[in-house]
């Protein structure tokens, strides 16, 4: 297989491209996206790594660059211009690979197990081995790989993967400690029990935060007690 080398994108360009690919599946009724919707998706606080705070001008500049590389298509109609991605055709990869690359662009390095969970709304993989098969295909792409398997972190049972659309990633040994191992998220099969346990812990922590807030509010509303009978 002889593919042409993909262009090197900026971090913001990968974010824009990832948002377009994600929203195509999560909010199909509003896709293609307007500039405002795209900015909101780029600045989203959840399911994003790194967190960004970019302006319309910056996103528009990224769109213009991506349009020049044919990654983004602009369509007219209505009051505002709308934008769609063209990842499959430019990179010549199937929808399964698009889902994996999208999650890596939006959330940073992840294990195959994490990718299987996070990409579920874009594509449901049968098992982790199928995720790994597509990752291996992307990594062995000729002449340039689209993903790379990172060195295993201390204490981790699985390697993380990263995309290469923005060049070779910087390896941070202390990033993303293996917290998920408590719930066996690095196993080939994620049990329903592990998922329920994780949700239970989150619910418990939220309840504790609410209770602590109430205690602080009650303490702050009470008058300061007088000392020595004064």
């Amino acid at each position: 297989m002889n593919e042409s080398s993909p262009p090197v994108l900026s971090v913001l360009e990968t974010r824009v491209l990832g948002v377009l690919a994600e929203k195509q599946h999560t909010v199909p009724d509003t896709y293609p996206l307007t500039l405002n919707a795209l900015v909101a998706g780029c600045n989203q606080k959840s399911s994003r790594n790194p967190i960004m705070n970019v302006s319309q001008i910056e996103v528009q500049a990224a769109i213009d660059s991506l349009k020049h590389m044919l990654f983004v298509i602009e369509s007219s109609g209505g009051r505002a211009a709308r934008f769609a991605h063209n990842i499959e055709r430019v990179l010549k990869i199937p929808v399964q690979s698009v889902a994996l690359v999208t999650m890596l662009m939006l959330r940073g390095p992840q294990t195959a197990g994490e990718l299987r969970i996070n990409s579920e709304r874009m594509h449901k993989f049968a098992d982790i081995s199928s995720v790994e098969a597509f990752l291996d295909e992307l990594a062995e792409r000729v002449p340039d790989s689209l993903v790379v398997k990172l060195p295993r972190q201390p204490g981790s049972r699985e390697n993380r993967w990263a995309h290469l659309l923005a060049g070779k990633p910087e390896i941070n040994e202390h990033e993303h400690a293996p917290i998920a191992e408590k719930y066996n998220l690095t196993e080939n099969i994620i049990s329903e029990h592990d998922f329920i346990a994780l949700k239970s812990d989150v619910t418990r922590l939220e309840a504790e935060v609410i209770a602590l807030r109430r205690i602080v509010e009650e303490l702050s509303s009470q008058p300061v007690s007088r000392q020595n009978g004064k």
Side-chain angles (χ1 to χ4, degrees), residues 16-227:
V16 168
L17 202 56
V19 169
L20 288 173
E22 176 194 50
K23 301 303 183 183
Q24 178 185 14
H25 296 271
T26 58
V27 287
D29 293 341
T30 59
Y31 184 85
L33 301 183
T34 63
L35 178 59
N36 286 338
L38 195 45
V39 171
C42 289
N43 292 332
Q44 187 175 310
K45 301 300 185 234
S46 62
S47 305
R48 298 288 185 265
N49 181 28
I51 300 297
M52 292 185 174
N53 185 21
V54 293
S55 65
Q56 283 193 359
I57 295 176
E58 291 171 314
V59 173
Q60 183 63 63
I63 291 172
D64 293 340
S65 177
L66 290 168
K67 284 168 57 179
H68 179 73
M69 293 180 280
L70 305 181
F71 270 116
V72 168
I73 302 170
E74 181 177 347
S75 59
S76 58
R79 297 180 179 180
R82 292 182 174 271
F83 306 96
H85 76 88
N86 195 29
I87 299 176
E88 293 99 327
R89 291 187 178 182
V90 175
L91 296 181
K92 296 181 175 62
I93 57 176
V95 293
Q96 297 94 325
S97 297
V98 172
L100 297 175
V101 172
T102 296
M103 288 301 107
L104 292 174
M105 288 192 290
L106 292 178
R107 299 178 179 228
Q110 297 157 77
T111 66
E114 291 169 333
L115 284 168
R116 184 191 177 202
I117 296 173
N118 294 334
S119 63
E120 189 173 16
R121 296 182 71 180
M122 294 188 66
H123 181 81
K124 291 187 177 181
F125 290 91
D127 48 39
I128 292 182
S129 61
S130 61
V131 174
E132 292 173 336
F134 280 101
L135 288 170
D136 288 337
E137 185 177 278
L138 291 168
E140 295 167 2
R141 175 188 167 105
V142 176
D144 293 293
S145 303
L146 294 179
V147 301
V148 63
K149 182 184 288 189
L150 301 177
R152 188 174 300 181
Q153 292 180 311
S156 297
R157 288 176 286 178
E158 266 196 281
N159 294 80
R160 295 182 303 152
W161 293 79
H163 74 86
L164 295 171
L165 289 173
K168 188 175 181 180
E170 294 183 4
I171 299 175
N172 186 346
E173 294 291 341
H174 303 289
E175 184 183 12
H176 300 302
I179 185 173
E181 292 193 5
K182 174 183 176 183
Y183 305 101
N184 296 325
L185 295 183
T186 56
E187 296 292 340
N188 287 344
I189 298 177
I190 298 172
S191 69
E192 182 179 0
H193 176 269
D194 292 330
F195 181 71
I196 292 173
L198 177 58
K199 289 186 67 176
S200 176
D201 272 15
V202 171
T203 302
R204 176 179 56 81
L205 290 171
E206 290 177 343
E208 289 178 359
V209 170
I210 293 173
L212 288 172
R213 285 177 177 173
R214 288 176 179 172
I215 293 173
V216 171
E217 290 175 357
E218 290 176 0
L219 291 174
S220 62
S221 64
Q222 293 178 0
V224 180
S225 60
R226 294 186 176 182
Q227 299 180 353

